Amino acid sequence: MRGTVAIVATMDTKGVEMAFLKERIEALGCATLVIDIGVFEPEGIRPDVSRHEIAAAAGSSIPELVAGGQKRRAFETMSEGAGRKIDELYKAGRFQAVVTAAGGTGTHLVSGALQALPIGVPKLIVTTVASRDVSSIIGSKDVTLMHAVCDIIGLNFMSKGLLATAAGAITGMIVPKPVPPADRRAIGLTSFSPLNGCAFSATTGLRGLGYEVVPFHTVGSGSMAMEALIGQGVLRGVLDLSLHEFVDWIHGGYCKSIGPDRLETAGRMEVPHVILPGGLDMAAFECTSLEGVPAHLHDRLFVKHDFRSLIRSSGEDMARIAAMVAEKANRAKRAPTFVLPCRGWSSVDAPGKPFYDPEVNQVFVSGLRSLLGKHVRVVEVDANINDEECAKVAVEEFHREFQRKP
Amino acid sequence: MRGTVAIVATMDTKGVEMAFLKERIEALGCATLVIDIGVFEPEGIRPDVSRHEIAAAAGSSIPELVAGGQKRRAFETMSEGAGRKIDELYKAGRFQAVVTAAGGTGTHLVSGALQALPIGVPKLIVTTVASRDVSSIIGSKDVTLMHAVCDIIGLNFMSKGLLATAAGAITGMIVPKPVPPADRRAIGLTSFSPLNGCAFSATTGLRGLGYEVVPFHTVGSGSMAMEALIGQGVLRGVLDLSLHEFVDWIHGGYCKSIGPDRLETAGRMEVPHVILPGGLDMAAFECTSLEGVPAHLHDRLFVKHDFRSLIRSSGEDMARIAAMVAEKANRAKRAPTFVLPCRGWSSVDAPGKPFYDPEVNQVFVSGLRSLLGKHVRVVEVDANINDEECAKVAVEEFHREFQRKP
C-alpha cells in the first residue's frame, strides 16, 4: 500500500464520478478515505466520513441546514466543518494526500480546508474553474490544480479520462519527502530575477558557512509560504533580499498578494532576520504597454520587461513603505538587521540603468533610520545590491545574527 | 517503458534542477526528452533538443538573439520557436506528456507552446506564479498547475521534494485514455448549475437516443474547450443550453472568458447545433456584497449566491446579445436551431423567483427573431427552461437536426 488518498467532494452531486475516481486510485495501489461534504443524500458511493460528521464539526447538523434552506449558510457551514474535520483526520494519520473534483461551488468549499494542511502533503483539485484568478483557491499553499475542460457531471469518455489522469497524478504525488539535512541549518532567502547577482553570491556564501538555503520567489504567495514555514519551525532564519512586493501591494501590481504578516514571522519566532531593500525601485504589471498600468502611474518612468512591464517607484512610495517596514521591525520580539546598499537596489536600479535614482531611494533610507528603534541595527554598503560586496556584507550580518544568542 | 515525458525549460538557469527532475522521472520508468528553450549555454544537463533548434524554428538563431541583447525579443522568438518545435515533436510521436518548472518568465514562455497540444496530452507546469490570474497560462486547455511555494533555484530539501512530487504526478498522468464508444455519437452539452433541471433531463433523453453526452461548464474556458473539441472532430454536435457567458462577457463577470469563436465552431464544422438562452437573465461576480460588483450595475437587482453574487440582466443587455448571437447564426455554414422557453431561463428566472421578468427576456426574443435569417429555425416552448417539457423539445430538435442530412 502506497498510502491513503482522501477523496473530498459533495457526494450528492458527484457520488458516481467520485466512485469512479476511488476505483482508479485503488487500482493504482492506494487506499482511499471518502469524505462527503454535500448537504443531501450521497448517491452512488458510500462515504467513510459522512456529511453529518462535517456539519457537526461546525456545530450544526444536516437537518438544520436543510430546514434553513439557505444555500449560502449551508456553504459556509460545510466549508468550516470540512476544514476542521480534514485537519483532524490528517493529524490522526488517516490520509497522506487529498484530491477533490468540483465546479465553482465545490472548489471553493474544499479549498479553504486544504489551506489548513501542511506544505508537503499532496493536494490536487480537479476543477472547471482553473483558468482565472485562482489566488483564493491556491493561497500560499502547494496546491495542484488540474483544469477540467469538460464538466464533471456523469461519466463519459472524457470525464473518465480526466478522472483516470487525476488518479494517476495524486497517487504519483505520494513520494518520500526529503527532510532538511541534519548537519545543516535550513534558512529561507527571498529574491526575484532583478536580484539574481545578489541571490547567487549570497547563496554561495551561506552554503559555504553550512546553511541549507531555500529560495523563495517574491511574487506574493512565495514569500507568504516562507512566512508559514518559519512559523512551522521548518526554516530557522531568513535573508530577505527583496522588499519589492510592498511596492506592488501599494499599486496593485503583479506581486501584490502579501498578507499582513509579511516580514513578521521571523521576529515572532525569534529567528535571525536580515532585510535588504531589493526591488523597492519597481512595481511590476502584467502588460506590455502603458495602458495595462493603472492610470495614476502613467507619469512614471516605464520599462518593458518580458510579459510584464515595470514602473519606477516614487519618493512617496518610499516614505510609505519605510513607515510600514519600520513599524514591523520595531514590533518584532527579535529585531531584524537592515543592510542598505547605496548604489541601487536592482539590476535596473544601478548606475547607468533606467531606474537609477539615489535621491528617491534616500527617502526610504532616511525614513527608516528616523523611525527605527535604536536597538535595530542598520548597515550601509557602498555598492549596488548585485555587487559581490553587498552579498558579502549581507551574509556576514546574517551569520553574525545566527551565532548570537537572542 | 510507460512513455516519454518531454522536459521543457530554460536550461541556462534551470539545468541542474531539470537534471534532477529527469532522474526522478526515469527512476519511475518513463523515458525523457529534454528540450532547452533558454538563450544561453545549458548548465548541468545535456538537452536532446537544443536551444539552437528552438530559435531556428522561429526563423532566428541564438547568436542573433544574444547580439540583439533585447530580452523581450528573445522571449518572443523562443516562445514562438518552442510552440512550433513542441507541436512538431508531438506529432512525430516523440513524447506523450510534457512537464516544465519555471518562474514567471519561463512559465509564460512555455504556456503558449502547450496550448498547441491536443486535449488529453498530460501537461504539467510547476510554477511559482500559480496563485493569481492564470487564464493566460491555462487558456482553454487541460493544463495542470503545481504551485511551487519555494523557488526552483538550486537543489535543497524543499525543491527536491517539489520536483520529486512533480515527477510522480507527470508519470502518473500517463494513463490510457478512453475513446468515444464506437456505437454512440459523442456530443457536447453546455450548462451551469441554475440549469441543472434542464441539463439532467436533456442528458437522460439524449442518452436514451444513443448519444454519448459530454457536459461542459459554461465558465468561459469550459465552453471554449468544447469549441476546440468540435473543431478537432471529437464532438459531432452540440446542445448549447446556456448563453449566460455573453452577459458576463459584457459586464466583466465570473464567466467572461469566452473568445470570438464561441457558438461558431459547430456551424463551421457543419454539425447539429441547438441553442437555448439558459442563464441570459444573470451576470455572476466573485463577491458576497454589492461592492464587488462594477459600479454601473449597482442599480440592478442583486442576489447573493455562494461565493458569487448575481445581477439581473437588462433589456439593453438582451438587445446587444441578440444582435451578436443572430449575426453568428446567420453566418454559420450550417444554421443552428433556437429553442426559446417562455417562462424563464434559469432556476432564479422562474415564476415567483427574484429574476423572473418576461418583459426583459422578450427583448432578446424579439431582437433575435427580427435579425435571424428566414432559414434559421426558432421554436418557442411555453415552459420554464428547467421544466421537463423544455428539455424534451430541445432533445427532439437536436435529434431531428442530427438525423437530417446537412
Side-chain angles (χ1 to χ4, degrees), chain A residues 72 105 108 128 130-132 134 139 141 143-145 147 149 151 153 157 168 172 212 215-217 219 254 306-307, chain B residues 72 104-105 108 128 131-132 134 139 141 143-145 147 149 151 153 157 168 172 212 215-217 219 254 306-307:
Chain A
R72 204 177 152 71
T105 309
H108 284 261
T128 56
S131 190
R132 55 182 59 252
V134 292
K141 279 292 160 70
V143 170
T144 297
L145 278 191
H147 183 206
V149 294
D151 208 346
I153 297 179
F157 71 101
E212 169 89 346
F216 293 85
H217 197 182
V219 290
Y254 189 73
D306 41 20
F307 63 97
Chain B
R72 203 176 154 71
T105 308
H108 284 261
T128 55
S131 190
R132 55 182 58 250
V134 293
K141 279 293 160 70
V143 170
T144 297
L145 279 191
H147 184 206
V149 295
D151 209 346
I153 298 179
F157 71 101
E212 170 89 346
F216 292 85
H217 197 183
V219 290
Y254 188 73
D306 42 20
F307 63 97

Side-chain angles (χ1 to χ4, degrees), chain B residues 255-336:
Chain B
C255 306
K256 66 184 173 195
S257 307
I258 47 172
D261 43 354
R262 174 72 180 113
L263 288 188
E264 295 189 7
T265 322
R268 178 167 62 76
M269 296 295 287
E270 299 181 62
V271 299
H273 191 191
V274 171
I275 302 175
L276 279 79
L280 270 188
D281 53 298
M282 63 175 75
F285 296 91
E286 189 171 354
C287 62
T288 54
S289 70
L290 195 60
E291 287 84 68
V293 170
H296 73 282
L297 298 172
H298 283 195
D299 59 341
R300 299 281 183 94
L301 198 55
F302 170 85
V303 170
K304 288 188 200 180
H305 186 55
D306 42 20
F307 63 97
R308 289 162 294 199
S309 296
L310 311 174
I311 289 288
R312 184 52 165 104
S313 58
S314 68
E316 196 184 324
D317 297 339
M318 292 299 95
R320 192 167 161 196
I321 295 168
M324 288 177 65
V325 172
E327 190 276 330
K328 286 169 185 275
N330 289 339
R331 191 155 37 82
K333 271 164 72 186
R334 175 169 176 165

Side-chain angles (χ1 to χ4, degrees), chain A residues 2 28 97 122-125 142-146 162-177, chain B residues 2 5 21 24-26 28 30 96-100 121-126 143-147 160-175 177:
Chain A
R2 297 165 64 183
L28 291 166
K123 307 164 186 75
L124 176 63
I125 300 180
D142 53 347
V143 170
T144 297
L145 278 191
M146 182 176 284
L162 172 71
L163 293 167
T165 305
I170 191 64
T171 54
M173 285 163 73
I174 303 178
V175 293
K177 288 288 183 308
Chain B
R2 297 166 65 182
V5 177
L21 179 63
R24 299 305 311 155
I25 290 172
E26 290 173 354
L28 291 166
C30 285
Q96 287 74 50
V98 58
V99 62
T100 186
V121 180
K123 307 165 186 74
L124 176 62
I125 300 181
V126 184
V143 170
T144 297
L145 279 191
M146 182 176 283
H147 184 206
K160 282 182 188 168
L162 172 71
L163 293 167
T165 305
I170 191 65
T171 55
M173 284 163 74
I174 303 179
V175 293
K177 288 288 183 308

Side-chain angles (χ1 to χ4, degrees), chain A residues 299-310:
Chain A
D299 59 340
R300 300 281 183 94
L301 197 56
F302 171 85
V303 170
K304 288 188 199 181
H305 185 55
D306 41 20
F307 63 97
R308 289 162 294 198
S309 296
L310 311 174

Side-chain angles (χ1 to χ4, degrees), chain A residues 226-299:
Chain A
M226 183 189 73
E227 299 281 341
L229 287 161
I230 303 165
Q232 287 174 29
V234 175
L235 300 174
R236 312 297 297 274
V238 189
L239 177 50
D240 249 321
L241 298 185
S242 168
L243 290 180
H244 89 108
E245 290 158 322
F246 285 91
V247 193
D248 281 19
W249 181 79
I250 286 180
H251 295 299
Y254 189 73
C255 306
K256 66 184 173 194
S257 308
I258 48 172
D261 44 353
R262 175 71 181 114
L263 287 187
E264 296 189 7
T265 322
R268 178 167 62 76
M269 296 294 287
E270 299 181 63
V271 299
H273 191 191
V274 171
I275 302 175
L276 280 79
L280 270 188
D281 53 298
M282 63 175 75
F285 296 90
E286 189 171 354
C287 61
T288 54
S289 70
L290 195 60
E291 287 84 68
V293 170
H296 73 281
L297 298 172
H298 283 195
D299 59 340

